[in-house]
Amino acid sequence: MTYCAAIRLEKGMIFASDTRTNAGVDHISTFRKLYQYGVEGERFMVLQTAGSLATSQAVFNKLQNDINQRSESNLNTVATLFDGAQMVGACMREVMAHAQMIANDNNSGTFTSSFLLGGQIKGQAPELYMIYPEGNCIRATRDTPFFQLGESKYGKPILDRSVEYDTDVNHAAQALMLSFDSTIHSNLSVGMPIDFMIYQNDSLTLPKGRRIKADDEYFLDISRQWADALRRTLVELPACPNDYWD
């Protein structure tokens, strides 16, 4: 399993994906699940995934091959982010149709993936899409500024309580890190390192991003401070009224 999330804010976008994959407790590997596309000064896109690793990698490879071969239509030439989301969906349907054919021949199950595509094209507003295994998609809005894939339930309460469309980008980035910290503490199928990227809206730059490893000092610091703050707050909360004990 995996956990990835992306946030679209008034002044920026934040993307994060873990890198753990496992096929049982004795077979754990690290694979990248966040990829960047774009042309400096013209467009910036990030594609993230959760689900079947084989399906996801096939989609990533096909999209990259289309760019490398300068196909007439690829992520570096689509007119809008929505067109890009449609392209990812179509690519996924093609890959999954082939996988389904093989699965049926081998009497195996189906292998599905979901994707998040976010970014900005020059002259357009930043956008974020969630793309379902069926190939259709939905767009993030002011009321719903973030999407999650995979093991989302452990980190979702932190984002729900702290992130809105007009939240400061730095504060939202901290909340997203803590969302991953909470998930890693509660689920062994999600683990370090974390691929993390922040984009400033309208900059049209291609940020390098950061791979947060288990010994990252900043991540460990805010994790400790968050845990300490929770313990202090718990102690400072009003005691349960007497009638709760009756």
Side-chain angles (χ1 to χ4, degrees):
M1 200 51 168
T2 190
Y3 176 41
C4 66
I7 306 174
R8 171 183 169 266
L9 302 167
E10 183 178 14
K11 295 185 178 180
M13 305 184 78
I14 312 166
F15 308 88
S17 295
D18 88 313
T19 55
R20 175 169 293 185
T21 62
N22 63 293
V25 294
D26 60 344
H27 190 181
I28 297 174
S29 303
T30 297
F31 284 91
R32 188 174 185 87
K33 304 169 193 174
L34 182 155
Y35 288 84
Q36 181 187 126
Y37 305 90
V39 178
E40 189 81 24
E42 197 272 327
R43 65 182 59 209
F44 158 79
M45 295 184 194
V46 167
L47 186 62
Q48 303 166 262
T49 187
S52 166
L53 181 63
T55 300
S56 299
Q57 286 198 337
V59 171
F60 285 132
N61 290 339
K62 186 177 187 311
L63 293 171
Q64 187 60 54
N65 285 340
D66 287 344
I67 293 174
N68 294 343
Q69 295 171 10
R70 298 185 179 181
S71 301
E72 181 177 352
S73 181
N74 61 65
L75 288 180
N76 283 348
T77 63
V78 291
T80 67
L81 256 293
F82 177 73
D83 291 334
Q86 294 288 92
M87 177 179 291
V88 174
C91 181
M92 180 164 49
R93 286 195 300 271
E94 179 182 336
V95 169
M96 288 178 58
H98 179 69
Q100 183 67 59
M101 180 180 64
I102 295 175
N104 289 339
D105 289 344
N106 294 324
N107 195 29
S108 302
T110 58
F111 301 94
T112 63
S113 293
S114 300
F115 290 85
L116 300 179
L117 177 68
Q120 184 176 23
I121 294 176
K122 188 175 182 179
Q124 302 173 27
E127 291 185 301
L128 172 64
Y129 289 91
M130 178 186 287
I131 307 162
Y132 295 100
E134 295 78 11
N136 56 329
C137 64
I138 60 173
R139 182 172 63 89
T141 66
R142 288 173 176 262
D143 294 328
T144 307
F146 67 87
F147 286 141
Q148 300 168 283
L149 294 177
E151 290 290 351
S152 60
K153 56 185 177 290
Y154 303 101
K156 189 174 188 296
I158 294 174
L159 299 181
D160 282 338
R161 289 175 175 267
S162 60
V163 174
E164 297 181 349
Y165 178 71
D166 59 355
T167 299
D168 177 81
V169 176
N170 184 65
H171 293 161
Q174 293 168 330
L176 187 53
M177 289 184 200
L178 293 173
S179 174
F180 272 79
D181 179 61
S182 175
T183 303
I184 290 170
H185 273 78
S186 299
N187 192 301
L188 290 175
S189 69
V190 177
M192 308 290 264
I194 300 166
D195 288 322
F196 200 88
M197 187 171 294
I198 301 175
Y199 170 75
Q200 180 180 343
N201 288 350
D202 300 321
S203 65
L204 295 172
T205 59
L206 304 182
K208 294 180 180 179
R210 181 180 182 86
R211 173 156 284 194
I212 302 174
K213 299 181 180 180
D215 60 353
D216 186 274
E217 292 185 7
Y218 179 71
F219 187 89
L220 291 173
D221 186 39
I222 64 171
S223 174
R224 284 192 295 264
Q225 289 192 44
W226 177 252
D228 290 344
L230 286 176
R231 284 189 287 266
R232 285 196 306 271
T233 301
L234 183 61
V235 171
E236 295 168 359
L237 289 174
C240 292
N242 290 335
D243 58 359
Y244 276 66
W245 298 84
D246 294 340

